[in-house]
Amino acid sequence: MVPDGTPTVRLSLGEHENAFCALVARHRAVGEACRKVEAEIQRKAGESLTPQTSCCLAGLHLLAAPVVVGGHHVATWIGGQVFQKRPTKAGFRSVAKQLARMGVTEGLSQIEAAFFSGHIVAEEQFQASVQLLRLFAQHLGQNAEHLRLLSRPDEPQCVAFAKEFIQAHFTERVSLEQVAAAV
């Protein structure tokens, strides 16, 4: 997950990162191209407040789901770095040409091996992942909003008591009169 705003560095998915992405992004120009794709998908998710998908120069698919708190985009879940179809030799030759234009001329055999070792996720599974990520982001935003509302030090004590009563009885049908009487 990344905070709202334009990223200044390329996102690294750590131990879960696609090996190809990790190798080629070490080169400044490629890392900058990756950062731009990530920034664009994050921007679109933040503006539309809906999940977005994108594809990088190597044909890897990314997904992004906005986390919204209080109606404001605060962060974005980003995932992906997967192929939706098995990569081909012709596809790699095209990517290798793009990499060469960006100054990547060494280690191509290692880069090619990493390219072909990438995960392949069918379109249907990818769309299910988008929806799952959307649900995670939505749930996180709702919980953050709930916590934000619960922890307001400047609110009147009667409001804090009302919130505590409602939270303690959240599984019951509670009327406004019951809350008022408890406060």
Side-chain angles (χ1 to χ4, degrees), residues 1-2 11 13 41 45 50-53 61-68 75-81 125-141:
M1 186 166 55
V2 294
L11 176 66
L13 299 179
I41 194 172
T50 60
Q52 300 292 311
T53 62
H61 292 261
L62 303 171
L63 55 102
V67 177
V68 179
T76 306
W77 278 106
I78 296 181
Q81 295 181 336
Q125 291 173 308
F126 186 77
Q127 290 307 317
S129 297
V130 171
Q131 292 308 313
L132 187 58
L133 197 61
R134 179 189 62 79
L135 289 171
F136 283 148
Q138 187 177 40
H139 186 69
L140 181 62

PDB file of all heavy atoms in Angstrom, residues 1-2 11 13 41 45 50-53 61-68 75-81 125-141:
ATOM      1  N   MET A   1       0.854  -1.163   0.000  1.00  0.00           N
ATOM      2  CA  MET A   1       0.000   0.000   0.000  1.00  0.00           C
ATOM      3  C   MET A   1       0.897   1.223   0.000  1.00  0.00           C
ATOM      4  O   MET A   1       1.907   1.254   0.689  1.00  0.00           O
ATOM      5  CB  MET A   1      -0.913  -0.011   1.223  1.00  0.00           C
ATOM      6  CG  MET A   1      -1.917   1.098   1.174  1.00  0.00           C
ATOM      7  SD  MET A   1      -3.278   0.965   2.344  1.00  0.00           S
ATOM      8  CE  MET A   1      -2.460   0.812   3.873  1.00  0.00           C
ATOM      9  N   VAL A   2       0.505   2.231  -0.762  1.00  0.00           N
ATOM     10  CA  VAL A   2       1.279   3.460  -0.851  1.00  0.00           C
ATOM     11  C   VAL A   2       0.389   4.643  -0.495  1.00  0.00           C
ATOM     12  O   VAL A   2      -0.810   4.629  -0.779  1.00  0.00           O
ATOM     13  CB  VAL A   2       1.899   3.652  -2.250  1.00  0.00           C
ATOM     14  CG1 VAL A   2       2.931   2.580  -2.540  1.00  0.00           C
ATOM     15  CG2 VAL A   2       0.842   3.639  -3.327  1.00  0.00           C
ATOM     16  N   LEU A  11       7.888   1.701  -6.876  1.00  0.00           N
ATOM     17  CA  LEU A  11       7.397   0.824  -5.820  1.00  0.00           C
ATOM     18  C   LEU A  11       8.100  -0.526  -5.897  1.00  0.00           C
ATOM     19  O   LEU A  11       8.256  -1.085  -6.970  1.00  0.00           O
ATOM     20  CB  LEU A  11       5.888   0.621  -5.988  1.00  0.00           C
ATOM     21  CG  LEU A  11       5.205  -0.343  -5.039  1.00  0.00           C
ATOM     22  CD1 LEU A  11       5.260   0.196  -3.620  1.00  0.00           C
ATOM     23  CD2 LEU A  11       3.770  -0.564  -5.465  1.00  0.00           C
ATOM     24  N   LEU A  13       7.830  -4.389  -4.440  1.00  0.00           N
ATOM     25  CA  LEU A  13       6.933  -5.303  -3.738  1.00  0.00           C
ATOM     26  C   LEU A  13       7.702  -6.292  -2.869  1.00  0.00           C
ATOM     27  O   LEU A  13       7.183  -7.328  -2.487  1.00  0.00           O
ATOM     28  CB  LEU A  13       6.030  -6.029  -4.736  1.00  0.00           C
ATOM     29  CG  LEU A  13       5.119  -5.126  -5.570  1.00  0.00           C
ATOM     30  CD1 LEU A  13       4.288  -5.954  -6.543  1.00  0.00           C
ATOM     31  CD2 LEU A  13       4.230  -4.273  -4.694  1.00  0.00           C
ATOM     32  N   ILE A  41      -1.338   4.961 -12.578  1.00  0.00           N
ATOM     33  CA  ILE A  41      -2.415   4.089 -12.102  1.00  0.00           C
ATOM     34  C   ILE A  41      -2.902   4.543 -10.726  1.00  0.00           C
ATOM     35  O   ILE A  41      -4.094   4.522 -10.431  1.00  0.00           O
ATOM     36  CB  ILE A  41      -1.993   2.595 -12.109  1.00  0.00           C
ATOM     37  CG1 ILE A  41      -3.222   1.694 -11.945  1.00  0.00           C
ATOM     38  CG2 ILE A  41      -0.969   2.293 -11.055  1.00  0.00           C
ATOM     39  CD1 ILE A  41      -2.921   0.225 -12.132  1.00  0.00           C
ATOM     40  N   ALA A  45      -6.707   5.895  -9.918  1.00  0.00           N
ATOM     41  CA  ALA A  45      -7.478   5.289  -8.820  1.00  0.00           C
ATOM     42  C   ALA A  45      -7.927   6.362  -7.835  1.00  0.00           C
ATOM     43  O   ALA A  45      -9.068   6.336  -7.359  1.00  0.00           O
ATOM     44  CB  ALA A  45      -6.645   4.220  -8.108  1.00  0.00           C
ATOM     45  N   THR A  50     -12.043   4.373  -7.846  1.00  0.00           N
ATOM     46  CA  THR A  50     -12.379   3.010  -8.273  1.00  0.00           C
ATOM     47  C   THR A  50     -11.085   2.278  -8.625  1.00  0.00           C
ATOM     48  O   THR A  50     -10.087   2.910  -8.982  1.00  0.00           O
ATOM     49  CB  THR A  50     -13.303   3.007  -9.507  1.00  0.00           C
ATOM     50  OG1 THR A  50     -12.632   3.666 -10.589  1.00  0.00           O
ATOM     51  CG2 THR A  50     -14.623   3.691  -9.221  1.00  0.00           C
ATOM     52  N   PRO A  51     -11.107   0.943  -8.570  1.00  0.00           N
ATOM     53  CA  PRO A  51      -9.909   0.183  -8.944  1.00  0.00           C
ATOM     54  C   PRO A  51      -9.521   0.445 -10.403  1.00  0.00           C
ATOM     55  O   PRO A  51     -10.376   0.683 -11.252  1.00  0.00           O
ATOM     56  CB  PRO A  51     -10.322  -1.275  -8.751  1.00  0.00           C
ATOM     57  CG  PRO A  51     -11.479  -1.225  -7.819  1.00  0.00           C
ATOM     58  CD  PRO A  51     -12.182   0.067  -8.104  1.00  0.00           C
ATOM     59  N   GLN A  52      -8.225   0.383 -10.654  1.00  0.00           N
ATOM     60  CA  GLN A  52      -7.688   0.615 -11.991  1.00  0.00           C
ATOM     61  C   GLN A  52      -6.709  -0.497 -12.329  1.00  0.00           C
ATOM     62  O   GLN A  52      -6.079  -1.066 -11.439  1.00  0.00           O
ATOM     63  CB  GLN A  52      -6.961   1.959 -12.054  1.00  0.00           C
ATOM     64  CG  GLN A  52      -7.825   3.153 -11.732  1.00  0.00           C
ATOM     65  CD  GLN A  52      -8.885   3.392 -12.791  1.00  0.00           C
ATOM     66  OE1 GLN A  52      -8.597   3.419 -13.980  1.00  0.00           O
ATOM     67  NE2 GLN A  52     -10.123   3.563 -12.350  1.00  0.00           N
ATOM     68  N   THR A  53      -6.577  -0.768 -13.610  1.00  0.00           N
ATOM     69  CA  THR A  53      -5.562  -1.713 -14.079  1.00  0.00           C
ATOM     70  C   THR A  53      -4.736  -1.021 -15.150  1.00  0.00           C
ATOM     71  O   THR A  53      -5.187  -0.071 -15.789  1.00  0.00           O
ATOM     72  CB  THR A  53      -6.196  -2.998 -14.652  1.00  0.00           C
ATOM     73  OG1 THR A  53      -6.996  -2.669 -15.772  1.00  0.00           O
ATOM     74  CG2 THR A  53      -7.027  -3.713 -13.594  1.00  0.00           C
ATOM     75  N   HIS A  61       0.811  -6.830 -16.041  1.00  0.00           N
ATOM     76  CA  HIS A  61      -0.389  -6.118 -15.618  1.00  0.00           C
ATOM     77  C   HIS A  61      -0.281  -5.728 -14.153  1.00  0.00           C
ATOM     78  O   HIS A  61       0.163  -6.511 -13.312  1.00  0.00           O
ATOM     79  CB  HIS A  61      -1.624  -6.989 -15.858  1.00  0.00           C
ATOM     80  CG  HIS A  61      -1.901  -7.200 -17.303  1.00  0.00           C
ATOM     81  ND1 HIS A  61      -2.837  -6.472 -17.998  1.00  0.00           N
ATOM     82  CD2 HIS A  61      -1.328  -8.022 -18.208  1.00  0.00           C
ATOM     83  CE1 HIS A  61      -2.837  -6.844 -19.260  1.00  0.00           C
ATOM     84  NE2 HIS A  61      -1.931  -7.799 -19.411  1.00  0.00           N
ATOM     85  N   LEU A  62      -0.712  -4.503 -13.860  1.00  0.00           N
ATOM     86  CA  LEU A  62      -0.749  -3.962 -12.507  1.00  0.00           C
ATOM     87  C   LEU A  62      -2.191  -3.671 -12.145  1.00  0.00           C
ATOM     88  O   LEU A  62      -3.022  -3.450 -13.022  1.00  0.00           O
ATOM     89  CB  LEU A  62       0.038  -2.652 -12.432  1.00  0.00           C
ATOM     90  CG  LEU A  62       1.495  -2.688 -12.863  1.00  0.00           C
ATOM     91  CD1 LEU A  62       2.060  -1.280 -12.931  1.00  0.00           C
ATOM     92  CD2 LEU A  62       2.300  -3.535 -11.903  1.00  0.00           C
ATOM     93  N   LEU A  63      -2.470  -3.626 -10.858  1.00  0.00           N
ATOM     94  CA  LEU A  63      -3.789  -3.228 -10.401  1.00  0.00           C
ATOM     95  C   LEU A  63      -3.639  -2.323  -9.201  1.00  0.00           C
ATOM     96  O   LEU A  63      -2.656  -2.411  -8.459  1.00  0.00           O
ATOM     97  CB  LEU A  63      -4.660  -4.445 -10.088  1.00  0.00           C
ATOM     98  CG  LEU A  63      -4.138  -5.486  -9.103  1.00  0.00           C
ATOM     99  CD1 LEU A  63      -4.799  -5.297  -7.753  1.00  0.00           C
ATOM    100  CD2 LEU A  63      -4.467  -6.864  -9.629  1.00  0.00           C
ATOM    101  N   ALA A  64      -4.600  -1.429  -9.041  1.00  0.00           N
ATOM    102  CA  ALA A  64      -4.575  -0.470  -7.948  1.00  0.00           C
ATOM    103  C   ALA A  64      -5.986  -0.245  -7.442  1.00  0.00           C
ATOM    104  O   ALA A  64      -6.919  -0.109  -8.236  1.00  0.00           O
ATOM    105  CB  ALA A  64      -3.976   0.854  -8.426  1.00  0.00           C
ATOM    106  N   ALA A  65      -6.140  -0.222  -6.127  1.00  0.00           N
ATOM    107  CA  ALA A  65      -7.440   0.040  -5.518  1.00  0.00           C
ATOM    108  C   ALA A  65      -7.267   1.148  -4.486  1.00  0.00           C
ATOM    109  O   ALA A  65      -6.403   1.065  -3.614  1.00  0.00           O
ATOM    110  CB  ALA A  65      -7.999  -1.221  -4.854  1.00  0.00           C
ATOM    111  N   PRO A  66      -8.075   2.202  -4.584  1.00  0.00           N
ATOM    112  CA  PRO A  66      -7.930   3.326  -3.664  1.00  0.00           C
ATOM    113  C   PRO A  66      -8.487   3.014  -2.273  1.00  0.00           C
ATOM    114  O   PRO A  66      -9.478   2.308  -2.138  1.00  0.00           O
ATOM    115  CB  PRO A  66      -8.757   4.431  -4.330  1.00  0.00           C
ATOM    116  CG  PRO A  66      -9.821   3.679  -5.064  1.00  0.00           C
ATOM    117  CD  PRO A  66      -9.153   2.414  -5.543  1.00  0.00           C
ATOM    118  N   VAL A  67      -7.823   3.552  -1.262  1.00  0.00           N
ATOM    119  CA  VAL A  67      -8.322   3.499   0.110  1.00  0.00           C
ATOM    120  C   VAL A  67      -8.883   4.888   0.390  1.00  0.00           C
ATOM    121  O   VAL A  67      -8.174   5.891   0.268  1.00  0.00           O
ATOM    122  CB  VAL A  67      -7.208   3.157   1.120  1.00  0.00           C
ATOM    123  CG1 VAL A  67      -7.743   3.180   2.545  1.00  0.00           C
ATOM    124  CG2 VAL A  67      -6.593   1.802   0.792  1.00  0.00           C
ATOM    125  N   VAL A  68     -10.166   4.940   0.728  1.00  0.00           N
ATOM    126  CA  VAL A  68     -10.855   6.210   0.915  1.00  0.00           C
ATOM    127  C   VAL A  68     -11.302   6.323   2.367  1.00  0.00           C
ATOM    128  O   VAL A  68     -11.939   5.412   2.900  1.00  0.00           O
ATOM    129  CB  VAL A  68     -12.073   6.303  -0.036  1.00  0.00           C
ATOM    130  CG1 VAL A  68     -12.827   7.604   0.158  1.00  0.00           C
ATOM    131  CG2 VAL A  68     -11.617   6.138  -1.481  1.00  0.00           C
ATOM    132  N   ALA A  75      -4.700   6.507   0.343  1.00  0.00           N
ATOM    133  CA  ALA A  75      -3.663   5.534  -0.007  1.00  0.00           C
ATOM    134  C   ALA A  75      -4.185   4.661  -1.143  1.00  0.00           C
ATOM    135  O   ALA A  75      -5.358   4.729  -1.499  1.00  0.00           O
ATOM    136  CB  ALA A  75      -3.306   4.668   1.201  1.00  0.00           C
ATOM    137  N   THR A  76      -3.285   3.854  -1.688  1.00  0.00           N
ATOM    138  CA  THR A  76      -3.664   2.955  -2.774  1.00  0.00           C
ATOM    139  C   THR A  76      -3.004   1.602  -2.553  1.00  0.00           C
ATOM    140  O   THR A  76      -1.806   1.533  -2.317  1.00  0.00           O
ATOM    141  CB  THR A  76      -3.209   3.516  -4.143  1.00  0.00           C
ATOM    142  OG1 THR A  76      -3.715   4.846  -4.289  1.00  0.00           O
ATOM    143  CG2 THR A  76      -3.703   2.651  -5.280  1.00  0.00           C
ATOM    144  N   TRP A  77      -3.811   0.542  -2.638  1.00  0.00           N
ATOM    145  CA  TRP A  77      -3.284  -0.820  -2.666  1.00  0.00           C
ATOM    146  C   TRP A  77      -2.835  -1.069  -4.098  1.00  0.00           C
ATOM    147  O   TRP A  77      -3.595  -0.846  -5.039  1.00  0.00           O
ATOM    148  CB  TRP A  77      -4.355  -1.847  -2.330  1.00  0.00           C
ATOM    149  CG  TRP A  77      -4.625  -2.064  -0.882  1.00  0.00           C
ATOM    150  CD1 TRP A  77      -5.712  -1.626  -0.200  1.00  0.00           C
ATOM    151  CD2 TRP A  77      -3.838  -2.785   0.055  1.00  0.00           C
ATOM    152  NE1 TRP A  77      -5.641  -2.036   1.107  1.00  0.00           N
ATOM    153  CE2 TRP A  77      -4.499  -2.748   1.293  1.00  0.00           C
ATOM    154  CE3 TRP A  77      -2.622  -3.473  -0.040  1.00  0.00           C
ATOM    155  CZ2 TRP A  77      -4.000  -3.370   2.422  1.00  0.00           C
ATOM    156  CZ3 TRP A  77      -2.126  -4.084   1.095  1.00  0.00           C
ATOM    157  CH2 TRP A  77      -2.807  -4.030   2.306  1.00  0.00           C
ATOM    158  N   ILE A  78      -1.600  -1.507  -4.269  1.00  0.00           N
ATOM    159  CA  ILE A  78      -1.093  -1.807  -5.604  1.00  0.00           C
ATOM    160  C   ILE A  78      -0.589  -3.240  -5.630  1.00  0.00           C
ATOM    161  O   ILE A  78       0.059  -3.700  -4.703  1.00  0.00           O
ATOM    162  CB  ILE A  78       0.025  -0.828  -6.009  1.00  0.00           C
ATOM    163  CG1 ILE A  78      -0.544   0.590  -6.111  1.00  0.00           C
ATOM    164  CG2 ILE A  78       0.658  -1.235  -7.335  1.00  0.00           C
ATOM    165  CD1 ILE A  78       0.444   1.649  -6.519  1.00  0.00           C
ATOM    166  N   GLY A  79      -0.906  -3.935  -6.692  1.00  0.00           N
ATOM    167  CA  GLY A  79      -0.451  -5.308  -6.851  1.00  0.00           C
ATOM    168  C   GLY A  79      -0.308  -5.649  -8.314  1.00  0.00           C
ATOM    169  O   GLY A  79      -0.469  -4.800  -9.187  1.00  0.00           O
ATOM    170  N   GLY A  80      -0.025  -6.884  -8.568  1.00  0.00           N
ATOM    171  CA  GLY A  80       0.075  -7.316  -9.949  1.00  0.00           C
ATOM    172  C   GLY A  80       1.465  -7.763 -10.322  1.00  0.00           C
ATOM    173  O   GLY A  80       2.024  -8.641  -9.679  1.00  0.00           O
ATOM    174  N   GLN A  81       2.021  -7.124 -11.350  1.00  0.00           N
ATOM    175  CA  GLN A  81       3.283  -7.532 -11.961  1.00  0.00           C
ATOM    176  C   GLN A  81       3.153  -8.961 -12.469  1.00  0.00           C
ATOM    177  O   GLN A  81       4.002  -9.805 -12.248  1.00  0.00           O
ATOM    178  CB  GLN A  81       4.466  -7.406 -10.997  1.00  0.00           C
ATOM    179  CG  GLN A  81       4.777  -5.999 -10.574  1.00  0.00           C
ATOM    180  CD  GLN A  81       5.974  -5.921  -9.639  1.00  0.00           C
ATOM    181  OE1 GLN A  81       6.334  -6.868  -8.946  1.00  0.00           O
ATOM    182  NE2 GLN A  81       6.603  -4.763  -9.610  1.00  0.00           N
ATOM    183  N   GLN A 125      -9.135 -14.599 -13.357  1.00  0.00           N
ATOM    184  CA  GLN A 125      -8.490 -14.565 -12.036  1.00  0.00           C
ATOM    185  C   GLN A 125      -7.969 -13.168 -11.721  1.00  0.00           C
ATOM    186  O   GLN A 125      -8.038 -12.716 -10.577  1.00  0.00           O
ATOM    187  CB  GLN A 125      -7.341 -15.561 -11.979  1.00  0.00           C
ATOM    188  CG  GLN A 125      -7.779 -17.002 -11.998  1.00  0.00           C
ATOM    189  CD  GLN A 125      -6.591 -17.934 -12.099  1.00  0.00           C
ATOM    190  OE1 GLN A 125      -5.739 -17.783 -12.976  1.00  0.00           O
ATOM    191  NE2 GLN A 125      -6.523 -18.891 -11.189  1.00  0.00           N
ATOM    192  N   PHE A 126      -7.441 -12.493 -12.730  1.00  0.00           N
ATOM    193  CA  PHE A 126      -6.940 -11.138 -12.527  1.00  0.00           C
ATOM    194  C   PHE A 126      -8.087 -10.216 -12.101  1.00  0.00           C
ATOM    195  O   PHE A 126      -7.948  -9.442 -11.153  1.00  0.00           O
ATOM    196  CB  PHE A 126      -6.268 -10.615 -13.798  1.00  0.00           C
ATOM    197  CG  PHE A 126      -5.594  -9.287 -13.618  1.00  0.00           C
ATOM    198  CD1 PHE A 126      -4.363  -9.199 -12.979  1.00  0.00           C
ATOM    199  CD2 PHE A 126      -6.182  -8.129 -14.089  1.00  0.00           C
ATOM    200  CE1 PHE A 126      -3.741  -7.970 -12.809  1.00  0.00           C
ATOM    201  CE2 PHE A 126      -5.562  -6.900 -13.920  1.00  0.00           C
ATOM    202  CZ  PHE A 126      -4.337  -6.818 -13.279  1.00  0.00           C
ATOM    203  N   GLN A 127      -9.224 -10.307 -12.774  1.00  0.00           N
ATOM    204  CA  GLN A 127     -10.374  -9.475 -12.415  1.00  0.00           C
ATOM    205  C   GLN A 127     -10.891  -9.821 -11.016  1.00  0.00           C
ATOM    206  O   GLN A 127     -11.319  -8.931 -10.277  1.00  0.00           O
ATOM    207  CB  GLN A 127     -11.487  -9.600 -13.467  1.00  0.00           C
ATOM    208  CG  GLN A 127     -11.144  -8.946 -14.792  1.00  0.00           C
ATOM    209  CD  GLN A 127     -10.710  -7.496 -14.651  1.00  0.00           C
ATOM    210  OE1 GLN A 127     -11.295  -6.714 -13.911  1.00  0.00           O
ATOM    211  NE2 GLN A 127      -9.647  -7.133 -15.367  1.00  0.00           N
ATOM    212  N   ALA A 128     -10.820 -11.092 -10.650  1.00  0.00           N
ATOM    213  CA  ALA A 128     -11.195 -11.476  -9.282  1.00  0.00           C
ATOM    214  C   ALA A 128     -10.231 -10.850  -8.279  1.00  0.00           C
ATOM    215  O   ALA A 128     -10.650 -10.407  -7.206  1.00  0.00           O
ATOM    216  CB  ALA A 128     -11.202 -12.998  -9.148  1.00  0.00           C
ATOM    217  N   SER A 129      -8.944 -10.782  -8.641  1.00  0.00           N
ATOM    218  CA  SER A 129      -7.955 -10.134  -7.772  1.00  0.00           C
ATOM    219  C   SER A 129      -8.243  -8.643  -7.629  1.00  0.00           C
ATOM    220  O   SER A 129      -8.091  -8.078  -6.547  1.00  0.00           O
ATOM    221  CB  SER A 129      -6.542 -10.323  -8.334  1.00  0.00           C
ATOM    222  OG  SER A 129      -6.200 -11.682  -8.362  1.00  0.00           O
ATOM    223  N   VAL A 130      -8.653  -8.021  -8.721  1.00  0.00           N
ATOM    224  CA  VAL A 130      -9.024  -6.597  -8.674  1.00  0.00           C
ATOM    225  C   VAL A 130     -10.172  -6.405  -7.689  1.00  0.00           C
ATOM    226  O   VAL A 130     -10.131  -5.501  -6.842  1.00  0.00           O
ATOM    227  CB  VAL A 130      -9.413  -6.073 -10.076  1.00  0.00           C
ATOM    228  CG1 VAL A 130     -10.015  -4.679  -9.995  1.00  0.00           C
ATOM    229  CG2 VAL A 130      -8.214  -6.089 -11.015  1.00  0.00           C
ATOM    230  N   GLN A 131     -11.180  -7.258  -7.769  1.00  0.00           N
ATOM    231  CA  GLN A 131     -12.328  -7.131  -6.873  1.00  0.00           C
ATOM    232  C   GLN A 131     -11.945  -7.412  -5.423  1.00  0.00           C
ATOM    233  O   GLN A 131     -12.413  -6.731  -4.508  1.00  0.00           O
ATOM    234  CB  GLN A 131     -13.475  -8.045  -7.327  1.00  0.00           C
ATOM    235  CG  GLN A 131     -14.096  -7.612  -8.630  1.00  0.00           C
ATOM    236  CD  GLN A 131     -14.503  -6.148  -8.627  1.00  0.00           C
ATOM    237  OE1 GLN A 131     -15.128  -5.647  -7.696  1.00  0.00           O
ATOM    238  NE2 GLN A 131     -14.125  -5.430  -9.682  1.00  0.00           N
ATOM    239  N   LEU A 132     -11.092  -8.395  -5.215  1.00  0.00           N
ATOM    240  CA  LEU A 132     -10.636  -8.698  -3.862  1.00  0.00           C
ATOM    241  C   LEU A 132      -9.845  -7.526  -3.288  1.00  0.00           C
ATOM    242  O   LEU A 132     -10.050  -7.129  -2.133  1.00  0.00           O
ATOM    243  CB  LEU A 132      -9.787  -9.973  -3.869  1.00  0.00           C
ATOM    244  CG  LEU A 132      -9.366 -10.521  -2.522  1.00  0.00           C
ATOM    245  CD1 LEU A 132     -10.571 -10.838  -1.642  1.00  0.00           C
ATOM    246  CD2 LEU A 132      -8.507 -11.764  -2.710  1.00  0.00           C
ATOM    247  N   LEU A 133      -8.964  -6.961  -4.079  1.00  0.00           N
ATOM    248  CA  LEU A 133      -8.185  -5.806  -3.633  1.00  0.00           C
ATOM    249  C   LEU A 133      -9.106  -4.619  -3.351  1.00  0.00           C
ATOM    250  O   LEU A 133      -8.915  -3.886  -2.387  1.00  0.00           O
ATOM    251  CB  LEU A 133      -7.135  -5.440  -4.679  1.00  0.00           C
ATOM    252  CG  LEU A 133      -6.013  -4.535  -4.213  1.00  0.00           C
ATOM    253  CD1 LEU A 133      -5.203  -5.189  -3.095  1.00  0.00           C
ATOM    254  CD2 LEU A 133      -5.091  -4.207  -5.379  1.00  0.00           C
ATOM    255  N   ARG A 134     -10.131  -4.455  -4.181  1.00  0.00           N
ATOM    256  CA  ARG A 134     -11.116  -3.392  -3.955  1.00  0.00           C
ATOM    257  C   ARG A 134     -11.802  -3.581  -2.602  1.00  0.00           C
ATOM    258  O   ARG A 134     -11.959  -2.633  -1.831  1.00  0.00           O
ATOM    259  CB  ARG A 134     -12.161  -3.378  -5.070  1.00  0.00           C
ATOM    260  CG  ARG A 134     -13.243  -2.301  -4.889  1.00  0.00           C
ATOM    261  CD  ARG A 134     -14.389  -2.462  -5.885  1.00  0.00           C
ATOM    262  NE  ARG A 134     -15.110  -3.719  -5.749  1.00  0.00           N
ATOM    263  CZ  ARG A 134     -16.033  -3.976  -4.821  1.00  0.00           C
ATOM    264  NH1 ARG A 134     -16.334  -3.077  -3.914  1.00  0.00           N
ATOM    265  NH2 ARG A 134     -16.633  -5.144  -4.782  1.00  0.00           N
ATOM    266  N   LEU A 135     -12.182  -4.819  -2.301  1.00  0.00           N
ATOM    267  CA  LEU A 135     -12.840  -5.094  -1.018  1.00  0.00           C
ATOM    268  C   LEU A 135     -11.903  -4.840   0.160  1.00  0.00           C
ATOM    269  O   LEU A 135     -12.313  -4.273   1.180  1.00  0.00           O
ATOM    270  CB  LEU A 135     -13.361  -6.532  -0.987  1.00  0.00           C
ATOM    271  CG  LEU A 135     -14.552  -6.815  -1.884  1.00  0.00           C
ATOM    272  CD1 LEU A 135     -14.840  -8.310  -1.927  1.00  0.00           C
ATOM    273  CD2 LEU A 135     -15.773  -6.036  -1.428  1.00  0.00           C
ATOM    274  N   PHE A 136     -10.646  -5.256   0.037  1.00  0.00           N
ATOM    275  CA  PHE A 136      -9.671  -4.988   1.102  1.00  0.00           C
ATOM    276  C   PHE A 136      -9.525  -3.485   1.328  1.00  0.00           C
ATOM    277  O   PHE A 136      -9.528  -3.001   2.460  1.00  0.00           O
ATOM    278  CB  PHE A 136      -8.302  -5.576   0.769  1.00  0.00           C
ATOM    279  CG  PHE A 136      -8.189  -7.057   0.967  1.00  0.00           C
ATOM    280  CD1 PHE A 136      -7.355  -7.787   0.141  1.00  0.00           C
ATOM    281  CD2 PHE A 136      -8.872  -7.726   1.952  1.00  0.00           C
ATOM    282  CE1 PHE A 136      -7.220  -9.163   0.298  1.00  0.00           C
ATOM    283  CE2 PHE A 136      -8.751  -9.095   2.129  1.00  0.00           C
ATOM    284  CZ  PHE A 136      -7.926  -9.814   1.295  1.00  0.00           C
ATOM    285  N   ALA A 137      -9.367  -2.739   0.233  1.00  0.00           N
ATOM    286  CA  ALA A 137      -9.193  -1.292   0.336  1.00  0.00           C
ATOM    287  C   ALA A 137     -10.428  -0.633   0.943  1.00  0.00           C
ATOM    288  O   ALA A 137     -10.317   0.256   1.791  1.00  0.00           O
ATOM    289  CB  ALA A 137      -8.888  -0.704  -1.044  1.00  0.00           C
ATOM    290  N   GLN A 138     -11.592  -1.083   0.516  1.00  0.00           N
ATOM    291  CA  GLN A 138     -12.844  -0.541   1.040  1.00  0.00           C
ATOM    292  C   GLN A 138     -12.975  -0.826   2.533  1.00  0.00           C
ATOM    293  O   GLN A 138     -13.323   0.047   3.322  1.00  0.00           O
ATOM    294  CB  GLN A 138     -14.010  -1.141   0.271  1.00  0.00           C
ATOM    295  CG  GLN A 138     -15.351  -0.551   0.589  1.00  0.00           C
ATOM    296  CD  GLN A 138     -16.433  -1.180  -0.284  1.00  0.00           C
ATOM    297  OE1 GLN A 138     -16.429  -2.391  -0.532  1.00  0.00           O
ATOM    298  NE2 GLN A 138     -17.334  -0.371  -0.775  1.00  0.00           N
ATOM    299  N   HIS A 139     -12.671  -2.047   2.917  1.00  0.00           N
ATOM    300  CA  HIS A 139     -12.749  -2.431   4.332  1.00  0.00           C
ATOM    301  C   HIS A 139     -11.751  -1.628   5.171  1.00  0.00           C
ATOM    302  O   HIS A 139     -12.081  -1.135   6.252  1.00  0.00           O
ATOM    303  CB  HIS A 139     -12.485  -3.933   4.472  1.00  0.00           C
ATOM    304  CG  HIS A 139     -12.681  -4.469   5.842  1.00  0.00           C
ATOM    305  ND1 HIS A 139     -13.910  -4.557   6.442  1.00  0.00           N
ATOM    306  CD2 HIS A 139     -11.782  -4.939   6.743  1.00  0.00           C
ATOM    307  CE1 HIS A 139     -13.766  -5.063   7.656  1.00  0.00           C
ATOM    308  NE2 HIS A 139     -12.492  -5.293   7.862  1.00  0.00           N
ATOM    309  N   LEU A 140     -10.553  -1.477   4.672  1.00  0.00           N
ATOM    310  CA  LEU A 140      -9.543  -0.693   5.385  1.00  0.00           C
ATOM    311  C   LEU A 140     -10.000   0.749   5.550  1.00  0.00           C
ATOM    312  O   LEU A 140      -9.880   1.329   6.631  1.00  0.00           O
ATOM    313  CB  LEU A 140      -8.212  -0.744   4.631  1.00  0.00           C
ATOM    314  CG  LEU A 140      -7.060   0.011   5.275  1.00  0.00           C
ATOM    315  CD1 LEU A 140      -6.718  -0.571   6.642  1.00  0.00           C
ATOM    316  CD2 LEU A 140      -5.837  -0.033   4.371  1.00  0.00           C
ATOM    317  N   GLY A 141     -10.548   1.328   4.493  1.00  0.00           N
ATOM    318  CA  GLY A 141     -11.040   2.706   4.568  1.00  0.00           C
ATOM    319  C   GLY A 141     -12.172   2.856   5.564  1.00  0.00           C
ATOM    320  O   GLY A 141     -12.216   3.817   6.335  1.00  0.00           O
TER     321      GLY A 141
END
